Amino acid sequence: MSGGGTETPVGSETAQGGGSKKRDSLGNAGSAHLIIKDLGEIHSRLLDHRPVIQGETRYFVKEFEEKRGLREMRVLENLKNMVHETNEHTLPKCRETMQDNLSQVLQRIHNDHLIASEKQHLLQWEDFMKEQPSKRAEVDEEHRKAMERLKEQYAEMEKDLAKFSAF
């Protein structure tokens, strides 16, 4: 420093050469390095929160993944239980109910079909019976005409026969 007084050595510094050398205001290069190192440490502790934030972030991610994994495991376990319940109880009940009701429905359809067929046959029979008198009248008329033709034909044949028997 400036002035004519003697300076006390800092740390492990010793004056060499009888202390006649002037030192700069910060001391020698080794002490400057220590001061810069201390300032960097103080700065990192006071202002640089990256390591703390990184640790907290890792902890949060770890906890989140564990909770997420547990939640997913619970969801999967619930799904497994639901599938098991469905396969073991619900599906057999549904199948049994469906088979019972299906046979009843098929029987009902079959009965309905039989009733419809019977009604259709009855209607056809009634139509057939309604047509019978008119068809019988037609057949009777044709028979009567055929009988008249035959009578006329036999009468004519008798006349022809009487002609030939006179010879």
Side-chain angles (χ1 to χ4, degrees), residues 117-159:
S117 294
E118 187 177 337
K119 285 181 180 179
Q120 184 180 5
H121 288 142
L122 285 174
L123 289 174
Q124 289 174 349
W125 180 255
E126 288 174 3
D127 290 343
F128 176 76
M129 292 306 288
K130 286 178 185 175
E131 292 175 2
Q132 287 309 306
S134 63
K135 287 189 177 188
R136 187 178 66 199
E138 288 176 22
V139 169
D140 287 345
E141 182 63 29
E142 280 184 44
H143 184 271
R144 189 186 58 74
K145 287 180 182 178
M147 289 295 289
E148 286 181 17
R149 275 195 313 261
L150 284 174
K151 282 183 185 178
E152 289 174 6
Q153 185 179 0
Y154 281 121
E156 201 171 302
M157 286 170 69
E158 278 184 16
K159 284 183 193 176

Side-chain angles (χ1 to χ4, degrees), residues 42-105:
I42 291 169
H43 175 269
S44 71
R45 286 187 181 190
L46 292 177
L47 302 174
D48 188 13
H49 301 297
R50 283 181 284 168
V52 174
I53 291 173
Q54 287 174 349
E56 288 294 320
T57 304
R58 276 189 240 113
Y59 175 76
F60 175 77
V61 168
K62 181 181 170 189
E63 286 294 314
F64 178 76
E65 286 177 349
E66 285 178 4
K67 288 179 182 177
R68 179 179 172 202
L70 291 175
R71 185 174 57 242
E72 287 177 355
M73 288 297 293
R74 282 193 306 265
V75 167
L76 290 174
E77 185 68 28
N78 288 341
L79 284 173
K80 180 183 142 198
N81 290 338
M82 285 174 39
V83 167
H84 178 73
E85 175 74 21
T86 301
N87 285 338
E88 296 296 320
H89 301 290
T90 307
L91 284 177
K93 284 180 183 177
C94 287
R95 186 177 299 122
E96 182 181 317
T97 303
M98 184 183 70
Q99 286 175 346
D100 290 345
N101 290 338
L102 183 62
S103 65
Q104 290 174 359
V105 167

Side-chain angles (χ1 to χ4, degrees), residues 160-167:
D160 288 340
L161 188 60
K163 283 185 196 176
F164 289 117
S165 58
F167 287 115

